[in-house]
C-alpha cells in the first residue's frame, strides 16, 4: 500500500511544481515515509502476558509532508494511508494542503543532497526477531520472571522495533534506510527501576551487570538506612541525571527557545561563548555512536548526522538548531537531540564510579525523584521528593532513606566540587553534588 | 472514511472473525494546531490519523493485541488473526488468564459530537486570523520591570471512536475538544519563570467567546504581574504550614494523591489497597469531604463510554471522608474488590486500555463564600479577609498556593508531589509573595488536613495524564479554594533552614 503511495506522491508533487493553472504553485517539498513494525511483551505484578500487557504487534505506515509554496507560505501535515490503497482526488488534497499554509520565512529551505555518514542503526538480530522468530523476547521475559527477587512485585516491558525510512525532496534527496531498536526495562516494587535501550540487543554481560545492580539495590532497600546528616555526600544516579538533562539542558539549549526569550541563555551568550559551566565540563550531541538509541543518519529535514558541541570547557558554543532556527540564527543546522540521553557529559577529571563509590564513607545514592517535570527549567532551581535513596557507608550500599532535595542545577554544573563518575553501564555519569537535603 | 463506514467495518470484523473473542477499537482523529510566539506565527499543523487495534482472547482468557494505522476490512481480519496467534502463544507460556470480558452484557450505542461548530467550520486561514488577533493583544501587556515573552497555542481535536466486541457490542462516540493556551515567560531580577493559562471547550466557540470577553487575556495579565512578583520573591522556608490551594492544585491533589491510588489495575501496589483489594470503608478524612470522578459533558477529558465499550460511570471515590469506591474496568475490578465503573481509556487505537480518571474533583461541603471577582489580587484579598473575619487565619505563615504545574505519585510508597507557580502569605497583611518549592505529602495523611473550601466550584483545570506512557486528557478541580490544616506529613520544599 505504502509502496504505491511512495511512488505516486513524489510524482504528484513534482507535477504540481509545474502546474501554473492555479493561483498558487508548489515551489518545493519534502516527504518522509516510515514503515515500522513493533512487538512488545510485558510483565505486570509478577505475571507475564496479563490482559494489560499482552504480547502486542503494531504496524505503522506514515507520511509526513512539508510543502513550500511560491508565495513563501509553508504547509506541515501528516497523511494517513488511504483505506482504498490510493488517493482518488489529488487536486482536492493539494487544495486542502494549500488552505493550511502559513507564512514562515525562516522555514522555507529544503536541504540539498549531501553526503550522509555511515551510522550503524539497524541490527540483523532484531530484524530476525521481527520477521522470523520472536522466541528471544519470550525467553527474556521468562528469565526476568524466573530470576526476580521472590519478594518483589515485578513489572517489566520488552519492545523490539524495525523501521524502514524514505526521504524524498524536490531538491533531489532520495534516501532509503533501515533502523532497529530494542528496549527492556524492569522494576521491583516500583522502587528499583532498570533499563536497557539501544538499536541492538544487549550483550549477555551487559544484561547480567544491569540485572545484578538492580537486584543488589533492591536488596539494599530492604532495611531502613540511617538518616543523613549535613556531612552526607549526595550522589545522583544516572537515571536522575538523565531526567535533569531532559528538564533543564534540553530546553535551554533549544535555539528556538533561546531566540524566543524562553531560555536561561540569550543569543549573545552563545556569540560571546559565555562560561556557564565548570571549566572542565563539556556537553555535546553525537548522533553517530554505533547502535546507540539516539543515533540517526539524518534529521527529519534531511540534514546529515553530525556531532555538535553545545558547551566546551564550560563555555557556550552552540544551541541545537533545525533548519528553520539555523536560518534565524544565521548559522548552519546542527545535530538534534532525540531524547535526554542525546546530550553527553564530558569532564576532564571524570572518574570511574566503582572508584568513587569506594571512597565515599558517608553518602546517599538518589535513585529516583518525583516531580522533576514540574520544575522551572529557566532558573534551574529544583525542589524534589526522593522517596527511594540508598545510604552509602564505607563504600557499601545499605539501607533505604527518603529525602527531599533542594538546589540549583546550574550551580551544580558550575561547581568545581561536582564529581562526574562514569559507569560503563550508563550513558550518563553518576554525579556527586552539593545541594540541600533533608530526611523525610 | 466516515463514521458510518467505520461502524460498519468494526461490525463486520467482529462478526466475520469467528475464532476467539475480539474487542475491536477503531479510531479516527483530526487535529489542527496553531502556535504563535511574540507576535509571529510559529507553526500550523494539521493531522488526520486513523487505525484500529484488535484485542483477542482465547476461550481460556489469554490475550494478544495487534494494531495498524489502516482502516480496511482485510487488514482488520489480518490483525484479528495476528492478535489470536499472539493470544495462543501467550497461553502456551502460562500467562495470566482473564475471562471477565466473557460475562459482560453487550451494549449498542452511538453518541454524536456535542460541538456547536463542526471541526471544519473555521478554515485554517480564519483560525490564523482569530488566534493571531487574540495573541497580539498579549503584546500590549506591560510589566513595571522585567520582560515577558508570549506564546499562544490553539489546538482543536476531534476523536471518533468505535468499539465492537464479539458479543455484538457496537459503541461509537465522538469527542471534540479545543484549548486556547497562553504561556508567558517572565524574566526579572535575574530570575525567569513560565506560567500558563487555558480556556477549553469543544469547538471554535472558545475563540469567539475569548474575542468577546477577553477573560483568558485578563487571566494572563493578572498572572504575568503575579509571576513578576514571584521572580523577585524569597523562597518559602522548607516546612509544614497551614495552606489554601487553588482549584487547579485541588485537581492535582485529587488526581495524584487519590485517583491513581484507586485505579483497579494498581491496587496490588497501592497504599489504599490491602492484599490487592481497595480498603473500602477506611476513614481517610474528616466528614464532609468527597472525591468524585466522572465524565462531564463538554469537558476537556470527557469520554462517555470506556475503551471496552461500557458506559463510563461517575464514581464517589471518597464520600463524607470514607473510602467508598475505586476506578474499575472490566478486567481488574473484581480482583481489586471494586465495581466495574468502567474506567478504561486508551491514548489511541494502538495501545491496550488501562483504568484512568476523567474529571476528578475534590469537594468540601463546608464552604465559605467569597466576593465574586475574577481579579487575582481581589481574590487573594478576599480569601485573607474571609479567613481573618472567621478567626481561621493562622499567625506568621498561612500560605495560599497558586497555579498547578504538574505532579507525580508513587502509589506503592504513598508519596505524591506537585508544584505550583507561586505562593502568597495570607497571614501577612502585606500579602508577601514567595517562590514555592515542591508540595509533597503522604496519600494517607493529606485528606485529614482538608478543612473547608472557599468561593465557588470550578472543575475545568485541564492537563494530560501520562500513566504507563499513555497520554490522555485529564481534568478536574475543587469546590473552590481548599484550605488545609498544618500537617507534618504535608510539606513545602524550598530553602532549607540553614
Amino acid at each position: 500500500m505504502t509502496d504505491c503511495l511512495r511512488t505516486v506522491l513524489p510524482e504528484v508533487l513534482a507535477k504540481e511544481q509545474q502546474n501554473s493553472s492555479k493561483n498558487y504553485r508548489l515551489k518545493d517539498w519534502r516527504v518522509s515515509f516510515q514503515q515500522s513494525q513493533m512487538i512488545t511483551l510485558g510483565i505486570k505484578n509478577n505475571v507475564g502476558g496479563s490482559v494489560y500487557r499482552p504480547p502486542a504487534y503494531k504496524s505503522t505506515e506514515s507520511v509526513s509532508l512539508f510543502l513550500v509554496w511560491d508565495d513563501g507560505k509553508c504547509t506541515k501535515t501528516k497523511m494517513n494511508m488511504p483505506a482504498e490503497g490510493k488517493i482518488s482526488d489529488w487536486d482536492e488534497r493539494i487544495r486542502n494542503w494549500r488552505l493550511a499554509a502559513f507564512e514562515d520565512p525562516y522555514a522555507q529551505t529544503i536541504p540539498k543532497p549531501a553526503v550522509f555518514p555511515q551510522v550503524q542503526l539497524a541490527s540483523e538480530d532484531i530484524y530476525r526477531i521481527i520477521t522470523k522468530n520472536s522466541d528471544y523476547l519470550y525467553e527474556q521475559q521468562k528469565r526476568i520472571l524466573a530470576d526476580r527477587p521472590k519478594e518483589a512485585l515485578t513489572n517489566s516491558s520488552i519492545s523490539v522495533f524495525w523501521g524502514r525510512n524514505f526521504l524524498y525532496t524536490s531538491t533531489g534527496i532520495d534516501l532509503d534506510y533501515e533502523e532497529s531498536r530494542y528496549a527492556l526495562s524492569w522494576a521491583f516494587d516500583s522502587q528499583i527501576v532498570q533499563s536497557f535501550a539501544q538499536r541492538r540487543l544487549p550483550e549477555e554481560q551487559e544484561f547480567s551487570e544491569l540485572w545484578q545492580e538492580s537486584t543488589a539495590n533492591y536488596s539494599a532497600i530492604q532495611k531502613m538506612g540511617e538518616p543523613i546528616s549535613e556531612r552526607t555526600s549526595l550522589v545522583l544516579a544516572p537515571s536522575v541525571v538523565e531526567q535533569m538533562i531532559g528538564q533543564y539542558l534540553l530546553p535551554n539549549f533549544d535555539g528556538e527557545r533561546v531566540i524566543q526569550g524562553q531560555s536561561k541563555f540569550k543569543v549573545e551568550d552563545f556569540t560571546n561563548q559565555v562560561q556557564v559551566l565548570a571549566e572542565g565540563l563539556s556537553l555535546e550531541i553525537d548522533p553517530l555512536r554505533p547502535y546507540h538509541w539516539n543515533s540517526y543518519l539524518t534529521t527529519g529535514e534531511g540534514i546529515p548526522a553530525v556531532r555538535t558541541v553545545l558547551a566546551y570547557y564550560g563555555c557556550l558554543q552552540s544551541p541545537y538548531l533545525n533548519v528553520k532556527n539555523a536560518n534565524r540564527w544565521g548559522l548552519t543546522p546542527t545535530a538534534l537531540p532525540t531524547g535526554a540521553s542525546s546530550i553527553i557529559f564530558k569532564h576532564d577529571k571524570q572518574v570511574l564510579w566503582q572508584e568513587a563509590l569506594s571512597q565515599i564513607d558517608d553518602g546517599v545514592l538518589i535513585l529516583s525523584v518525583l516531580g522533576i517535570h514540574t520544575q522551572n527549567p529557566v532558573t534551574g532551581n529544583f525542589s524534589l521528593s526522593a522517596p527511594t535513596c540508598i545510604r552509602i557507608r564505607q563504600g557499601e550500599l545499605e539501607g533505604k532513606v527518603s529525602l527531599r532535595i533542594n538546589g540549583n542545577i546550574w550551580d551544580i554544573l558550575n561547581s568545581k566540587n561536582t564529581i562526574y563518575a562514569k559507569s560503563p553501564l550508563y550513558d550518563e555519569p553518576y554525579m556527586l553534588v552539593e545541594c540541600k537535603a533533608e530526611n523525610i | 472514511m466516515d463514521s458510518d463506514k467505520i461502524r460498519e467495518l468494526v461490525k463486520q470484523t467482529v462478526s466475520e472473525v469467528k475464532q476467539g473473542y475480539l474487542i475491536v477499537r477503531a479510531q479516527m482523529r483530526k487535529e489542527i494546531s496553531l502556535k504563535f510566539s511574540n507576535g509571529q506565527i510559529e507553526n500550523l499543523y494539521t493531522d488526520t490519523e486513523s487505525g484500529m487495534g484488535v484485542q483477542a482472547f482465547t476461550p481460556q482468557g489469554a490475550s494478544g493485541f495487534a494494531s495498524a494505522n489502516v482502516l480496511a476490512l482485510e487488514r482488520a481480519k489480518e490483525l484479528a488473526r495476528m492478535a489470536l496467534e499472539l493470544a495462543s502463544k501467550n497461553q502456551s507460556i502460562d500467562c495470566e488468564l482473564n475471562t471477565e470480558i466473557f460475562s459482560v452484557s453487550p451494549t449498542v450505542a452511538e453518541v454524536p459530537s456535542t460541538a456547536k461548530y463542526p471541526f471544519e467550520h473555521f478554515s485554517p486561514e480564519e483560525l490564523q486570523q482569530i488566534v493571531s488577533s487574540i495573541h497580539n493583544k498579549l503584546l500590549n501587556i506591560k510589566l513595571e520591570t522585567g520582560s515577558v515573552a508570549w506564546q499562544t497555542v490553539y489546538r482543536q481535536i476531534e476523536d471518533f471512536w468505535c468499539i465492537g466486541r464479539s458479543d455484538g457490542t457496537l459503541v461509537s462516540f465522538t469527542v471534540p475538544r479545543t484549548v486556547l493556551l497562553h504561556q508567558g515567560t517572565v524574566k526579572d531580577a535575574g530570575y525567569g519563570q513560565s506560567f500558563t493559562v487555558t480556556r477549553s471547550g469543544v469547538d471554535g466557540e472558545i475563540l469567539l467567546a475569548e474575542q468577546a470577553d477577553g477573560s483568558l487575556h485578563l487571566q494572563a495579565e493578572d498572572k504575568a504581574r503575579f509571576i513578576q512578583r514571584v521572580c523577585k520573591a524569597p523562597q518559602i522556608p522548607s516546612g509544614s504550614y497551614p495552606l489554601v490551594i487553588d482549584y487547579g492544585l485541588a485537581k492535582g491533589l485529587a488526581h495524584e494523591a487519590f485517583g491513581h491510588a484507586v485505579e483497579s489495575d494498581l491496587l496490588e501496589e497501592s497504599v489504599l489497597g490491602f492484599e490487592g483489594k481497595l480498603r473500602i470503608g477506611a476513614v481517610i478524612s474528616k466528614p464532609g469531604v468527597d472525591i468524585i470522578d466522572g465524565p462531564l459533558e463538554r469537558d476537556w477529558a470527557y469520554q462517555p463510554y470506556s475503551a471496552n465499550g461500557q458506559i463510563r460511570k461517575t464514581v464517589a471515590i471518597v464520600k463524607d471522608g470514607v473510602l467508598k469506591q475505586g476506578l474499575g474496568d472490566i478486567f481488574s475490578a473484581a480482583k481489586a474488590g471494586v465495581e466495574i465503573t468502567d474506567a478504561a481509556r486508551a491514548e489511541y487505537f494502538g495501545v491496550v486500555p488501562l483504568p484512568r480518571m476523567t474529571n476528578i474533583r475534590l469537594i468540601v461541603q463546608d464552604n465559605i463564600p467569597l466576593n465574586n471577582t475574577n481579579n487575582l489580587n481581589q481574590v487573594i484579598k478576599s480569601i485573607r479577609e474571609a479567613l481573618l473575619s472567621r478567626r481561621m487565619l493562622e499567625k506568621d505563615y498561612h500560605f495560599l498556593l497558586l497555579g498547578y504545574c504538574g505532579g507525580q505519585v508513587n502509589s506503592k510508597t504513598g508519596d505524591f508531589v506537585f508544584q505550583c507557580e507561586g505562593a502568597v502569605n495570607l497571614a501577612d497583611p502585606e500579602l508577601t509573595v514567595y517562590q514555592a518549592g515542591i508540595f509533597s505529602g503522604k496519600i494517607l495523611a493529606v485528606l485529614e488536613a482538608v478543612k473547608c473550601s472557599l468561593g465557588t466550584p470550578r472543575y475545568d483545570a485541564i492537563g494530560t495524564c501520562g500513566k504507563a506512557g499513555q497520554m490522555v486528557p485529564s481534568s478536574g478541580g475543587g469546590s473552590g479554594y481548599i484550605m488545609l490544616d498544618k500537617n507534618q506529613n504535608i510539606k513545602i520544599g524550598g530553602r532549607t533552614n540553614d
Side-chain angles (χ1 to χ4, degrees):
Chain A
M1 209 181 291
T2 300
D3 287 342
C4 169
L5 193 62
R6 189 163 59 79
T7 315
V8 171
L9 184 54
E11 285 173 7
V12 167
L13 295 174
K15 198 172 154 194
E16 188 65 21
Q17 282 182 284
Q18 309 306 319
N19 188 347
S20 56
S21 66
K22 299 173 184 168
N23 56 0
Y24 50 85
R25 188 194 280 192
L26 186 61
K27 185 180 159 200
D28 271 314
W29 50 267
R30 180 181 69 235
V31 189
S32 3
F33 294 84
Q34 188 185 54
Q35 300 170 317
S36 68
Q37 298 176 77
M38 188 160 83
I39 299 173
T40 55
L41 299 187
I43 296 169
K44 186 165 175 64
N45 299 339
N46 298 340
V47 183
S50 81
V51 70
Y52 294 117
R53 294 193 185 175
Y57 169 84
K58 179 172 153 186
S59 156
T60 306
E61 300 178 350
S62 63
V63 188
S64 298
L65 290 103
F66 180 68
L67 310 175
V68 182
W69 307 89
D70 63 354
D71 60 358
K73 289 187 172 182
C74 307
T75 300
K76 278 184 189 176
T77 190
K78 271 178 84 175
M79 254 182 93
N80 213 38
M81 294 303 108
E84 301 78 15
K86 61 179 184 181
I87 306 289
S88 50
D89 190 346
W90 280 108
D91 274 346
E92 190 192 344
R93 286 276 171 153
I94 290 165
R95 248 193 324 276
N96 287 335
W97 291 338
R98 170 63 196 183
L99 280 173
F102 65 102
E103 287 195 24
D104 197 342
Y106 294 109
Q108 295 168 19
T109 312
I110 303 282
K112 292 188 167 54
V115 177
F116 290 91
Q118 294 290 318
V119 193
Q120 289 164 297
L121 301 176
S123 149
E124 282 300 314
D125 294 337
I126 291 178
Y127 182 72
R128 273 193 293 277
I129 290 172
I130 286 275
T131 57
K132 293 192 173 80
N133 188 340
S134 58
D135 284 351
Y136 175 89
L137 307 178
Y138 291 92
E139 288 300 319
Q140 189 73 265
Q141 178 174 293
K142 193 174 162 186
R143 185 173 175 183
I144 290 169
L145 281 169
D147 295 350
R148 69 179 177 83
K150 292 306 164 216
E151 61 280 24
L153 205 53
T154 302
N155 289 293
S156 170
S157 172
I158 304 169
S159 71
V160 64
F161 169 96
W162 181 264
R164 187 168 175 199
N165 303 281
F166 303 90
L167 181 66
Y168 303 125
T169 66
S170 55
T171 55
I173 293 177
D174 182 348
L175 262 182
D176 171 359
Y177 64 97
E178 293 170 326
E179 59 177 330
S180 61
R181 291 181 192 276
Y182 181 80
L184 166 67
S185 65
W186 60 90
F188 301 137
D189 286 350
S190 299
Q191 294 186 80
I192 302 297
V193 180
Q194 189 64 281
S195 63
F196 171 89
Q198 297 287 354
R199 290 181 174 277
R200 58 171 173 80
L201 301 178
E203 303 289 343
E204 176 56 33
Q205 190 182 346
E206 272 176 303
F207 175 77
S208 296
E209 287 177 11
L210 287 167
W211 184 261
Q212 280 165 21
E213 186 170 289
S214 65
T215 52
N217 285 348
Y218 183 72
S219 176
I221 63 165
Q222 294 314 299
K223 61 177 184 179
M224 295 309 293
E226 281 176 36
I228 63 160
S229 70
E230 284 180 0
R231 293 184 303 279
T232 305
S233 303
L234 304 180
V235 184
L236 304 180
S239 59
V240 177
V241 173
E242 183 177 333
Q243 284 182 284
M244 293 223 166
I245 292 171
Q247 183 64 18
Y248 298 104
L249 296 185
L250 282 183
N252 284 298
F253 278 92
D254 178 347
E256 180 174 323
R257 289 178 66 105
V258 174
I259 219 156
Q260 297 287 8
Q262 295 178 310
S263 162
K264 172 185 172 61
F265 307 124
K266 298 190 283 288
V267 173
E268 52 270 31
D269 293 339
F270 287 93
T271 316
N272 299 330
Q273 301 192 342
V274 171
Q275 178 153 3
V276 295
L277 311 174
E279 225 168 60
L281 182 61
S282 300
L283 304 175
E284 66 175 43
I285 302 173
D286 183 1
L288 303 169
R289 289 175 284 177
Y291 297 114
H292 193 273
W293 183 269
N294 299 108
S295 289
Y296 60 81
L297 177 72
T298 168
T299 67
E301 297 174 313
I303 300 297
V306 62
R307 193 173 71 90
T308 295
V309 177
L310 303 175
Y312 187 67
Y313 276 78
C315 298
L316 293 176
Q317 300 294 304
S318 174
Y320 58 86
L321 301 164
N322 62 11
V323 169
K324 173 178 172 175
N325 290 311
N327 283 338
R328 271 178 170 160
W329 280 70
L331 298 171
T332 53
T334 67
L336 297 177
T338 55
S341 55
S342 287
I343 294 188
I344 303 167
F345 278 61
K346 288 188 171 173
H347 196 279
D348 61 357
K349 290 180 185 153
Q350 194 161 271
V351 297
L352 291 174
W353 166 237
Q354 287 305 330
E355 275 176 31
L357 176 63
S358 67
Q359 288 166 20
I360 300 173
D361 287 334
D362 177 1
V364 63
L365 175 61
I366 298 165
L367 288 179
S368 64
V369 290
L370 282 182
I372 194 162
H373 64 290
T374 69
Q375 302 297 290
N376 182 337
V378 179
T379 61
N381 288 341
F382 60 83
S383 168
L384 298 165
S385 178
T388 308
C389 308
I390 307 179
R391 285 292 266 131
I392 304 169
R393 301 313 299 253
Q394 280 77 48
E396 299 291 328
L397 298 171
E398 53 176 49
K400 179 187 165 181
V401 289
S402 297
L403 304 178
R404 184 177 295 106
I405 57 173
N406 295 289
N408 181 286
I409 191 69
W410 303 115
D411 290 346
I412 287 172
L413 295 175
N414 199 18
S415 168
K416 60 180 191 297
N417 296 330
T418 301
I419 296 171
Y420 299 83
K422 190 85 179 84
S423 160
L425 294 177
Y426 306 105
D427 287 326
E428 294 75 22
Y430 289 82
M431 283 172 64
L432 281 70
V433 302
E434 289 176 339
C435 70
K436 301 291 181 189
E438 55 185 322
N439 299 291
I440 53 174
Chain B
M1 188 178 271
D2 65 27
S3 55
D4 288 340
K5 283 184 181 166
I6 295 175
R7 275 177 72 91
E8 189 54 35
L9 169 66
V10 171
K11 192 177 172 183
Q12 270 187 282
T13 307
V14 289
S15 64
E16 290 183 21
V17 178
K18 303 294 183 193
Q19 300 89 349
Y21 184 104
L22 304 184
I23 306 175
V24 177
R25 301 181 190 94
Q27 183 192 14
M28 186 168 65
R29 177 192 172 94
K30 291 187 266 190
E31 174 166 0
I32 181 164
S33 66
L34 298 91
K35 180 177 166 189
F36 288 77
S37 283
N38 299 322
Q40 299 293 320
I41 185 164
E42 198 66 39
N43 202 5
L44 190 162
Y45 179 71
T46 58
D47 186 8
T48 304
E49 180 150 25
S50 56
M52 63 199 310
V54 180
Q55 197 167 0
F57 294 80
T58 65
Q60 292 77 18
S63 58
F65 182 81
S67 69
N69 62 340
V70 178
L71 290 175
L73 184 60
E74 282 314 306
R75 197 65 207 275
K77 289 181 185 173
E78 190 187 325
L79 291 175
R81 279 192 294 275
M82 292 177 83
L84 281 162
E85 273 177 31
L86 289 168
S88 299
K89 171 91 176 170
N90 200 19
Q91 188 167 308
S92 71
I93 55 161
D94 293 332
C95 69
E96 184 181 55
L97 303 175
N98 192 313
T99 58
E100 300 287 347
I101 191 74
F102 303 155
S103 55
V104 177
S105 303
T107 309
V108 176
E110 193 172 355
V111 182
S113 169
T114 54
K116 178 177 166 188
Y117 297 107
F119 187 84
E120 288 85 5
H121 181 83
F122 297 101
S123 70
E125 201 166 17
E126 286 172 313
L127 289 176
Q128 278 187 66
Q129 285 167 5
I130 298 170
V131 179
S132 170
S133 74
I134 290 169
H135 169 78
N136 286 337
K137 285 181 187 165
L138 295 170
L139 307 181
N140 298 324
I141 295 172
K142 302 290 177 221
L143 301 180
E144 283 172 20
T145 57
S147 64
V148 56
W150 290 106
Q151 285 196 330
T152 297
V153 174
Y154 174 71
R155 285 181 75 199
Q156 181 176 312
I157 297 156
E158 186 180 270
D159 255 334
F160 171 80
W161 282 90
C162 182
I163 298 123
R165 300 198 309 245
S166 293
D167 65 358
T169 289
L170 190 65
V171 168
S172 64
F173 53 89
T174 302
V175 181
R177 57 182 182 274
T178 50
V179 62
L180 179 65
L181 176 152
H182 292 323
Q183 180 179 38
T185 301
V186 177
K187 288 187 174 175
D188 198 4
Y191 186 91
Q193 183 167 323
S194 296
F195 66 90
T196 57
V197 290
T198 59
R199 184 169 193 162
S200 62
V202 294
D203 54 25
E205 194 173 23
I206 62 167
L207 296 176
L208 304 183
E210 178 60 22
Q211 282 188 313
D213 65 24
S215 73
L216 191 67
H217 179 91
L218 293 172
Q219 273 187 59
E221 186 167 5
D222 271 359
K223 192 57 83 68
R225 297 192 196 292
F226 175 70
I227 296 297
Q228 186 210 12
R229 293 171 67 195
V230 171
C231 284
K232 297 176 181 174
Q235 275 206 319
I236 293 180
S238 176
S240 297
Y241 302 98
L243 299 169
V244 177
I245 60 175
D246 70 14
Y247 82 104
L249 290 154
K251 177 254 178 181
L253 179 66
H255 183 104
E256 299 298 347
F258 288 90
H260 285 305
V262 300
E263 287 163 345
S264 59
D265 63 323
L266 298 179
L267 272 162
E268 279 193 66
E269 289 196 277
S270 170
V271 292
L272 295 181
F274 178 69
E275 294 182 346
K277 298 207 183 290
L278 185 67
R279 294 165 51 190
I280 291 174
V283 176
I284 55 175
S285 79
K286 295 170 190 139
V289 177
D290 301 340
I291 295 178
I292 310 287
D293 179 89
L296 297 178
E297 210 169 287
R298 300 175 71 82
D299 177 59
W300 171 251
Y302 176 66
Q303 186 169 322
Y305 280 79
S306 79
N308 293 322
Q310 298 293 105
I311 195 157
R312 171 106 198 188
K313 292 177 189 161
T314 294
V315 179
I317 297 168
V318 175
K319 185 73 183 163
D320 226 11
V322 179
L323 190 57
K324 287 284 185 187
Q325 198 47 262
L327 300 175
D329 74 348
I330 292 167
F331 299 108
S332 56
K335 192 175 177 186
V338 301
E339 286 175 26
I340 299 172
T341 60
D342 186 352
R345 299 178 73 189
E347 180 187 6
Y348 76 111
F349 63 86
V351 290
V352 174
L354 300 169
R356 312 289 292 260
M357 287 162 262
T358 57
N359 183 292
I360 191 162
R361 45 259 183 207
L362 174 57
I363 297 165
V364 188
Q365 286 158 20
D366 187 4
N367 181 265
I368 298 170
L370 294 176
N371 296 334
N372 188 18
T373 174
N374 289 324
N375 177 275
L376 185 60
N377 285 333
Q378 294 299 323
V379 170
I380 294 168
K381 282 179 187 164
S382 176
I383 293 171
R384 174 179 154 78
E385 283 160 14
L387 296 180
L388 196 59
S389 66
R390 288 166 178 80
R391 300 179 180 214
M392 293 166 73
L393 198 61
E394 302 291 334
K395 284 183 181 172
D396 300 330
Y397 292 115
H398 196 142
F399 285 111
L400 167 64
L401 307 184
L402 295 167
Y404 181 60
C405 303
Q408 198 174 359
V409 65
N410 182 328
S411 50
K412 167 82 180 178
T413 59
D415 295 281
F416 72 87
V417 298
F418 59 77
Q419 184 71 36
C420 65
E421 288 165 348
V424 178
N425 185 10
L426 297 167
D428 177 357
E430 300 296 318
L431 295 171
T432 314
V433 170
Y434 284 82
Q435 294 173 14
I438 202 125
F439 180 109
S440 62
K442 292 284 183 186
I443 290 173
L444 290 174
V446 69
L447 271 202
E448 284 174 10
V450 172
K451 189 166 187 172
C452 65
S453 61
L454 300 102
T456 50
R458 275 196 72 176
Y459 304 131
D460 62 347
I462 67 165
T464 303
C465 172
K467 178 183 174 184
Q470 287 193 43
M471 310 305 281
V472 301
S474 68
S475 60
S479 56
Y481 289 79
I482 306 290
M483 182 171 166
L484 302 159
D485 282 330
K486 181 176 174 176
N487 182 305
Q488 291 307 318
N489 285 307
I490 305 168
K491 290 202 169 179
I492 305 290
R495 182 172 57 79
T496 46
N497 297 316
D498 50 357

